[in-house]
Amino acid sequence: MSTSAPPRTAASGAATGRSGPTRIKGSGLAFWLFFAPFLIGLLVFTILPLLWGGTLSLFEARGTVLPTRFIGLDNFRSFLVDTAFLQSLRTFIVFALFIVPTTMAASLGLAVLVNGLPRFQMFFRSVFFLPTACSYVVACVVWRLSLFNGLESGVVNQLLGVLGMESISTWLSASPYWWIVLVSVRLWLQVGFYMLLFLAGLQAIPAQLYEAAAVDGLSPGGFRMFRLITLPQLRTTSAAVLLLLLIAAFQAFDEFYNLTGNNPETRPPLVYLYNIALGPQQDFGRGSAGALVLTAIMVVAGLLQTWLVGFGSDDDSGKGRFRRRRGPRRGAPVTAGTVPAAEETPTTGAEVGR
């Protein structure tokens, strides 16, 4: 015996035909009240200075932030033949060659060690991340006045004396000792942050990959396991860390300015541009042009890195210039991305009953 469905009411029909989110009364005003301070700050402190700096780069502006005489691209052409600016770029290259691989190796090593200590992981994560909250200026003062002050009573000189080595009293005035000071302070300040990035990447690796590799003959915790499983799985994280380290090296200012000052041999591009725009010359037009040139170099470096190594995602699998394209060798251990998915076979009722 069939029963007829109850008729749909008008209210239910209206509710069914309603589409789209319900607008809350007064939400528009509340949104702008919360968003307006951030928008005003972005316009006043970021967008307008960028536009004004681009305008000043085309004018002569000495001792004033107002354009005085239009000179076109002369400010940009001057940097192509400026030996001091080219020397600052060489200083950056040397600094990047030291700090980028050192930070990557140290942060990855610390992440692997901390990841193997689940019981004390929170403690070590906090300990290594604490220097990131320290001011660069404060760290430079400690490095200059306490560790590498150039006196016989300095901490580093006393340690060298204990080891029977000659004390080095010219850490900040002779090459190549100043690179030890500059690289050590930057490494202490930033290694904890990148350790957390690598640690997050390590914890995102599926445990099934290590189990399959162990079944295939790789020893757990060995170097081959690390090389064949861990490193390929950290490709995306490594590419992101490399890009962040290059940008941070381009923006190096505090440690150079507070430790070595305006030394032409240890002066990165930002310190040189700072002395042009805010030094005795106060050439804001040329300083703005140099800032745009440095920004263009940073963009080109980022695009070049993307072209060479990609970002490791599935969409970028074919974009890496040096990415391995051949498949695994026959009989080689199971690596990341080569573990075959389990084939699903239909299960019959007879098999279930067995």
Side-chain angles (χ1 to χ4, degrees):
M1 181 176 180
S2 62
T3 59
S4 59
R8 300 178 63 181
T9 62
S12 61
T16 305
R18 185 181 302 164
S19 61
T22 302
R23 183 177 179 84
I24 301 176
K25 185 177 180 180
S27 61
L29 179 60
F31 169 77
W32 285 110
L33 286 176
F34 281 101
F35 182 67
F38 300 99
L39 180 61
I40 294 173
L42 181 65
L43 290 173
V44 173
F45 298 106
T46 303
I47 297 179
L48 289 180
L50 286 176
L51 296 177
W52 193 249
T55 303
L56 286 180
S57 64
L58 303 176
F59 289 83
E60 181 179 345
R62 293 179 179 270
T64 178
V65 294
L66 300 176
T68 56
R69 184 172 63 90
F70 181 77
I71 57 177
L73 300 178
D74 289 347
N75 286 328
F76 295 94
R77 295 192 191 98
S78 65
F79 284 102
L80 299 178
V81 294
D82 190 352
T83 56
F85 180 71
L86 298 179
Q87 174 64 32
S88 68
L89 289 179
R90 286 193 290 268
T91 300
F92 155 73
I93 293 174
V94 174
F95 179 68
L97 289 177
F98 274 107
I99 194 62
V100 172
T102 305
T103 304
M104 288 196 69
S107 57
L108 179 57
L110 289 176
V112 172
L113 293 177
V114 173
N115 191 48
L117 299 172
R119 179 174 298 181
F120 302 99
Q121 191 174 122
M122 295 294 294
F123 171 76
F124 286 107
R125 282 164 54 182
S126 302
V127 168
F128 288 118
F129 186 75
L130 276 178
T132 307
C134 181
S135 171
Y136 273 59
V137 178
V138 173
C140 292
V141 171
V142 173
W143 248 245
R144 185 181 184 91
L145 299 181
S146 178
L147 298 179
F148 303 96
N149 57 7
L151 301 176
E152 296 293 336
S153 59
V155 175
V156 176
N157 284 332
Q158 288 186 353
L159 290 177
L160 292 177
V162 171
L163 297 176
M165 302 174 62
E166 183 180 357
S167 63
I168 301 174
S169 59
T170 56
W171 288 97
L172 296 173
S173 60
S175 177
Y177 303 121
W178 53 49
W179 292 113
I180 299 176
V181 183
L182 295 170
V183 171
S184 62
V185 63
R186 172 59 73 96
L187 182 65
W188 180 76
L189 285 166
Q190 69 180 9
V191 70
F193 172 74
Y194 296 105
M195 182 208 70
L196 290 183
L197 297 183
F198 277 118
L199 187 61
L202 288 172
Q203 294 177 352
I205 300 177
Q208 292 82 356
L209 294 178
Y210 294 105
E211 295 172 0
V215 171
D216 203 51
L218 293 182
S219 59
F223 177 74
R224 293 190 65 195
M225 179 81 76
F226 177 78
R227 180 174 62 88
L228 297 176
I229 302 296
T230 305
L231 282 182
Q233 290 294 312
L234 289 177
R235 184 171 178 268
T236 303
T237 306
S238 301
V241 168
L242 178 59
L243 182 60
L244 292 176
L245 284 173
L246 287 176
I247 294 175
F250 268 112
Q251 296 175 343
F253 176 83
D254 296 308
E255 58 266 49
F256 286 90
Y257 187 80
N258 290 282
L259 291 175
T260 61
N262 195 23
N263 188 349
E265 298 185 21
T266 59
R267 184 175 54 188
L270 278 185
V271 175
Y272 177 67
L273 297 178
Y274 174 84
N275 291 321
I276 289 178
L278 300 176
Q281 303 179 18
Q282 289 192 350
D283 193 346
F284 293 100
R286 194 161 178 265
S288 301
L292 293 178
V293 170
L294 187 61
T295 302
I297 295 175
M298 293 172 61
V299 172
V300 171
L303 294 176
L304 182 63
Q305 182 211 340
T306 305
W307 179 70
L308 290 176
V309 301
F311 279 101
S313 63
D314 294 336
D315 296 335
D316 297 331
S317 59
K319 295 181 182 180
R321 182 72 174 176
F322 300 115
R323 185 178 176 86
R324 293 182 60 184
R325 299 183 182 276
R326 63 177 183 269
R329 294 174 299 175
R330 187 173 182 179
V334 179
T335 61
T338 63
V339 179
E343 298 181 358
E344 297 182 358
T345 57
T347 304
T348 62
E351 293 174 349
V352 173
R354 291 178 182 176

